[in-house]
Amino acid sequence: MTTSMTKPDIPLKHYLQFSDFTASEYAYIFERAALIKKKFKAYDKHQPLADRTLAMIFEKASTRTRVSFEAGMYQMGGSVVHLTTDGSQLGRAEPIEDSAKVISRMVDLVMIRTYEQTKIERFAEHSRVPVINGLTNEFHPCQILADIFTYIEHRGDIRGKTVAWVGDGNNMANTWLQASEILGFNVHVSTPSGYEVDQDVAGLRSNESYKVFKDPKEACAGADLVTTDVWTSMGYEAENEKRKTAFAAWCVDEDMMQKAKPDALFMHCLPAHRGEEVQAEVIDGPQSVVWDEAENRLHVQKALMEYLLLGKLA
Ligand code: CP
Ligand code: NVA
């Protein structure tokens, strides 16, 4: 009896954090994403996932993740089931393990956006099919996949480059740090005190790929990419007022961008709050690539789903 609905010769693999894949798997995914994007732009059908079904479980709000996974799966010939906490038995305390066993008998792939990373790990442990992290409190690997693909499109290889992270030591920061260890670039991190990254939570092997700066301007000095995120992530809304005070100096402004390299890019995973974590002049300015970054969620996640279900294609 098979335990997975992926092709029998494809080992069951989950994508729960950035460190789940090696540098060579990323090289393959970026190459496929570029091809898939090119075909999409040429209205050339790419439907390797005909008859496959993706279940998307959202315990937090989403625009980009929902649209990119849903549109992506349909464009690849498959279909989608959309579940929310309130609209399913997940909101009525059905154990996550039972939900995983049931859902994964009916679909080929599951994407989950939830709170604790342990929740998605428990789901994956009991799933017959690949599980993708669509954001947890700790990580957002699909976003960093899109961000690095966007960097490569604009500037080439990210190896040896410097990324400045300005803001909260949150899921995005943790994932940038994991990516730096795997893909060989550096991260300059500047957070207000009390909001630092935690190396254990981020799941890092060492502190060699990143450097911490008290002053966000110093973190931006010489950077190839400056990036930030909301001051208050989903699930932390009760801390909003306190955070507004603590983060006041962590707004990416033109001054900070001037400290970075002249050809530095600006990224933000979105949604953004202009006037809080980023000045309108920066996010809407010439160095910003946020719209490419958002679009690329579609292309990289198509490559990711294809890889998880079909493995490496010639
Ligand atoms: N960046 C991102 O994940 O956006 P959504 O919350 O809209 O999915
Ligand atoms: N750090 C943000 C990212 C949103 C896409 C959050 O978790 O809410």
Side-chain angles (χ1 to χ4, degrees), residues 13 36 45 59 65 91 93 111 121 146 236 289 297:
K13 231 177 193 322
I36 289 168
K45 268 191 191 169
E59 299 217 277
T65 304
M111 189 287 303
E121 282 166 3
Y236 299 84
V289 290
R297 291 290 301 278

Side-chain angles (χ1 to χ4, degrees), residues 60-61 64-65 113 134-137 139-140 143 165 168 170-172 229-230 232-237 269-271 297:
K60 292 177 177 172
R64 279 146 288 271
T65 304
R113 167 167 287 196
L135 181 145
T136 56
N137 291 349
F139 299 114
H140 198 2
Q143 182 67 54
W165 176 264
D168 193 13
N170 64 10
N171 43 12
M172 284 290 297
D229 187 11
V230 289
T232 305
S233 285
M234 292 181 279
Y236 299 84
E237 290 79 3
C269 64
L270 307 175
R297 291 290 301 278

Side-chain angles (χ1 to χ4, degrees), residues 201-274:
V201 174
L204 302 181
R205 293 191 292 260
S206 77
N207 58 5
E208 279 167 29
S209 68
Y210 74 98
K211 221 168 141 187
V212 174
F213 294 81
K214 274 212 167 78
D215 180 349
K217 285 193 181 64
E218 278 178 32
C220 293
D224 299 280
L225 165 63
V226 177
T227 185
T228 185
D229 187 11
V230 289
W231 290 343
T232 305
S233 285
M234 292 181 279
Y236 299 84
E237 290 79 3
E239 300 173 15
N240 203 17
E241 286 313 307
K242 196 175 125 209
R243 283 172 174 261
K244 276 189 179 168
T245 311
F247 282 78
W250 278 262
C251 171
V252 177
D253 56 17
E254 287 176 309
D255 246 26
M256 288 188 200
M257 289 307 295
Q258 267 174 12
K259 298 265 181 310
K261 288 204 179 128
D263 70 342
L265 299 175
F266 172 78
M267 288 192 195
H268 188 310
C269 64
L270 307 175
H273 298 92
R274 288 167 177 78

